[in-house]
Amino acid sequence: MEVSRIRALRGPNLWSKNTAIEAIVSCGDAECSIDNLPEFEARLRARLPQTGLLRPEGHQGAVSIAHVLQIVALTMQAHAGCPVTFGRTASTIEPGVFQVVVEYSEEEVGKLAMELAQDLVRAALDDTPFDIADALKRLRELDEDVRLGPSTGSIVNAATARNIPYRRLTQGSMVQFGWGSKQRRIQAAETDLTSAISESIAQDKDLTKMLLDAAGVPVPMGRSVTSAEEAWEAAQELGGPVVVKPRDGSQGRGVAVNIETRERVIQAFEVAEEISSEVIVERYIPGHDFRLLVVGGALVAASRRDPPQVTGDGQQTIRQLVDQVNADPLRGDGHATSLTKIRFDDIALATLKKQGFDADSVPPAGTLIFLRNNANLSTGGSATDVTDEVHPEMAARAVSAARMIGLDICGVDVVAESVHYPLEEQHGGVVEVNAAPGLRMHLNPSFGKGRAVGEAIIANMFADGEDGRIPVVAVAGTNGKTTTVRLTAHLLGVAGNRVGMTNSDGVYVDNLRIDTGDCSGPRSARSVLMHPDVDAAVFETARGGILREGLAFDRCNVAIVTNIGMGDHLGLGYISTVEDLAV
């Protein structure tokens, strides 16, 4: 078996509407039917027990090694957590040469799956070892690295449900929704409406408090300090327990709460100072930690966040109890999973010491042990949905906080005994306002039902009935494509549209040529769909681009096929007859 070419079909293609990896596979005479390899299937199943049927139901002909490669690549992706199902193996006009097509959800994962599938099939052919556990681990880890996180993924899923096209612009979480002049962009839970000034204000906790206080939103008293001694002076001025946190920080890093002694205040200052040159000391508000999510001037979700904790069983050490909690598959090291693993660091050990324990203590059965005082999910906390319980006046204060900072999507952190009463009645307050808030706690809370926050964000970006699409005309065929594209673009331009056009001599936007050469492929079409000055698009869609990479769009309003005839359009990509070309 030899694989001579692997390429990614990044849009609807000859085989499927799904993205797919296409490989050209050559088989030796014996390999064209696994019936000629009597021990092969047993060896394959010994290495990949999850392998399904090799012979499709009702299939009477020979099953080639190429078809086995397709099944193995699909099976490995599926068992690594990738939701893919489509695969196909087609023979070509060349004896023993096949086109193997396997769906992918992430291109890098699909390519690695094809590479590992080759290694596994060769191992079964040669009867050599293959570490399937390591292969699946590599696929799973790569998928976690490159796929969108839960927050961005929920927004993309909401857009897909509304038939809004999307394109990932980076390996990170920047995504474009819609096309041309109708497009919008996000990065994680920030949109193109989120201003840099508002984000900067939210990062400055002192400035945030000043603005919220001016808006009548209850906030804890406190001030910024620049030295450990000044931190202790501020704590004495406030009288009673305090919170020490970095002025510019995120995800709860460097935050110490409910501390009173000089030793602990100085220690907390030193930790916070590593994150920010300025540190805030403010009055500690007793109560629970709540996150209120405001989108477009409305409260859409609320969660009570609890610190990372374990419950003693009288037998295991605290370290063992934490390992047991971290074994939950819902907990991961980053933000790709619903929950984050509990960390055993200096802050956790200090929190244990305050409760009279250390990592190797065996707490009595039923004893609740806290590993941190703050309740951020990124440090191992958990969340309980309380959306339906929030008092209208508390919701109004959260909306006021978001408006005062200027954030269209805003995570408002509140400390209070309960969400059932206004903040003023229970001496609660807003302790922080967050740009690009994490959505995990609202999508998949530890307790309670998930909230449709992705749908709320998309609804704030696109009005009812809008799908972010512009009119698209695609022109294919053997002859006359360029002329037809130019005429169609002219008609759309006369109708008042700024037209993006691709053809065999360049890319044009509103009659200005922005690229030269043969631009009749999907890359040029994608460039036009990204351009913010395009109200309508006309694409020359040559068969070479379709075969090489698939289409740049999922659908078009008008599809024109000028003609299909003999000539120089045959022979590419195993398209050797007019009938093949028509397909």
Side-chain angles (χ1 to χ4, degrees):
M1 180 187 71
E2 180 181 346
V3 179
S4 58
R5 187 192 70 207
I6 294 178
R7 62 187 178 193
L9 304 175
R10 300 183 177 95
N13 52 75
L14 177 63
W15 312 102
S16 167
K17 291 182 178 180
N18 304 312
T19 53
I21 298 294
E22 181 190 71
I24 304 301
V25 181
S26 303
C27 300
D29 291 341
E31 297 169 342
C32 284
S33 174
I34 59 173
D35 292 338
N36 300 326
L37 306 167
E39 297 180 14
F40 169 75
E41 185 170 351
R43 293 174 183 171
L44 178 72
R45 294 188 184 280
R47 288 158 178 79
L48 183 62
Q50 302 94 330
T51 305
L53 293 173
L54 297 184
R55 192 181 303 275
E57 190 174 341
H59 182 80
Q60 300 298 322
V63 173
S64 68
I65 285 291
H67 179 71
V68 173
L69 179 67
Q70 169 216 308
I71 291 174
V72 170
L74 266 181
T75 301
M76 292 177 77
Q77 284 192 84
H79 284 273
C82 304
V84 294
T85 56
F86 176 81
R88 182 172 174 183
T89 300
S91 58
T92 70
I93 57 172
E94 297 181 24
V97 178
F98 299 85
Q99 292 169 286
V100 175
V101 182
V102 176
E103 180 186 357
Y104 71 80
S105 55
E106 295 292 343
E107 183 176 324
E108 292 180 43
V109 178
K111 287 180 175 178
L112 178 60
M114 186 64 78
E115 177 187 319
L116 293 172
Q118 293 174 57
D119 295 341
L120 191 153
V121 171
R122 289 193 181 105
L125 285 169
D126 301 336
D127 198 16
T128 55
F130 183 85
D131 190 342
I132 185 61
D134 179 68
L136 293 178
K137 180 184 176 184
R138 286 176 62 190
L139 283 171
R140 196 175 295 114
E141 289 178 348
L142 178 60
D143 182 58
E144 288 180 0
D145 285 342
V146 300
R147 75 169 183 246
L148 292 170
S151 295
T152 312
S154 70
I155 303 171
V156 168
N157 292 339
T160 302
R162 279 189 49 177
N163 191 31
I164 297 170
Y166 77 93
R167 181 184 176 193
R168 196 167 172 180
L169 298 178
T170 66
Q171 286 289 344
S173 54
M174 184 172 288
V175 179
Q176 173 181 315
F177 296 111
W179 294 332
S181 59
K182 300 290 184 68
Q183 68 179 277
R184 300 292 306 277
R185 292 174 184 168
I186 66 166
Q187 180 159 322
E190 284 187 322
T191 76
D192 46 24
L193 290 176
T194 306
S195 78
I197 291 176
S198 298
E199 183 180 357
S200 179
I201 292 171
Q203 289 176 344
D204 187 331
K205 294 176 174 55
D206 230 12
L207 177 57
T208 296
K209 280 173 54 178
M210 183 192 77
L211 292 173
L212 295 186
D213 186 51
V217 177
V219 293
M221 299 300 294
R223 63 183 174 91
S224 292
V225 297
T226 56
S227 69
E229 285 302 324
E230 193 181 355
W232 174 236
E233 290 173 9
Q236 289 178 300
E237 291 167 9
L238 292 168
V242 296
V243 174
V244 178
K245 59 186 179 183
R247 179 167 176 169
D248 299 309
S250 61
Q251 299 180 357
R253 292 179 300 131
V255 178
V257 303
N258 195 16
I259 57 177
E260 296 186 75
T261 66
R262 183 176 187 277
E263 179 187 4
R264 294 205 61 213
V265 168
I266 290 175
Q267 182 184 27
F269 174 86
E270 291 170 351
V271 172
E273 189 183 30
E274 293 179 3
I275 298 169
S276 173
S277 58
E278 285 193 63
V279 174
I280 293 176
V281 179
E282 65 186 21
R283 187 185 304 278
Y284 168 70
I285 301 176
H288 296 289
D289 187 313
F290 297 97
R291 165 63 64 82
L292 277 57
L293 180 67
V294 176
V295 177
L299 179 73
V300 299
S303 290
R304 188 188 74 234
R305 300 185 297 178
D306 297 307
Q309 55 191 263
V310 294
T311 303
D313 61 4
Q315 299 178 2
Q316 299 184 81
T317 66
I318 293 174
R319 191 181 299 277
Q320 290 171 328
L321 292 169
V322 169
D323 289 341
Q324 186 175 325
V325 170
N326 284 343
D328 185 342
L330 293 177
R331 290 187 182 269
D333 292 317
H335 290 186
T337 49
S338 299
L339 296 169
T340 300
K341 289 183 178 180
I342 300 173
R343 295 205 296 259
F344 242 123
D345 53 16
D346 291 342
I347 297 175
L349 293 172
T351 306
L352 288 177
K353 185 177 179 181
K354 185 179 177 183
Q355 300 167 79
F357 298 108
D358 60 33
D360 297 317
S361 300
V362 179
T367 305
L368 195 62
I369 308 296
F370 294 97
L371 278 300
R372 255 176 172 74
N373 288 317
N374 67 301
N376 291 68
L377 260 67
S378 55
T379 56
S382 58
T384 300
D385 178 72
V386 294
T387 306
D388 296 331
E389 303 169 28
V390 179
H391 192 279
E393 289 189 28
M394 182 181 286
R397 287 287 185 265
V399 171
S400 294
R403 285 178 175 161
M404 192 65 180
I405 304 305
L407 292 170
D408 58 318
I409 302 175
C410 181
V412 181
D413 289 343
V414 169
V415 175
E417 291 294 340
S418 168
V419 292
H420 297 106
Y421 308 101
L423 285 172
E424 293 83 354
E425 285 187 16
Q426 50 184 323
H427 305 292
V430 173
V431 296
E432 200 166 323
V433 169
N434 301 273
L439 306 180
R440 290 188 300 164
M441 70 189 81
H442 308 300
L443 295 166
N444 296 294
S446 311
F447 307 97
K449 66 179 181 180
R451 300 291 169 169
V453 293
E455 287 81 348
I457 291 171
I458 286 295
N460 191 50
M461 297 173 70
F462 295 93
D464 287 345
E466 290 184 359
D467 58 11
R469 295 176 182 270
I470 59 173
V472 171
V473 179
V475 182
T478 52
N479 303 112
K481 296 189 294 296
T482 301
T483 301
T484 305
V485 164
R486 287 186 175 278
L487 286 168
T488 307
H490 175 73
L491 291 171
L492 286 168
V494 168
N497 296 287
R498 295 171 297 175
V499 181
M501 173 178 67
T502 66
N503 57 36
S504 54
D505 69 354
V507 176
Y508 297 79
V509 172
D510 204 17
N511 294 319
L512 175 67
R513 183 155 70 172
I514 62 172
D515 198 3
T516 59
D518 187 348
C519 297
S520 58
R523 294 183 185 180
S524 299
R526 279 196 292 266
S527 296
V528 167
L529 293 175
M530 288 174 59
H531 203 292
D533 295 334
V534 173
D535 302 322
V538 186
F539 299 136
E540 182 172 336
T541 309
R543 93 283 191 209
I546 298 175
L547 293 171
R548 183 177 63 252
E549 208 174 326
L551 295 172
F553 46 87
D554 61 341
R555 64 192 64 187
C556 53
N557 300 79
V558 177
I560 300 171
V561 181
T562 57
N563 63 338
I564 298 178
M566 301 296 288
D568 61 356
H569 286 73
L570 298 179
L572 181 68
Y574 301 103
I575 302 298
S576 54
T577 68
V578 173
E579 288 74 23
D580 291 338
L581 187 60
V583 171

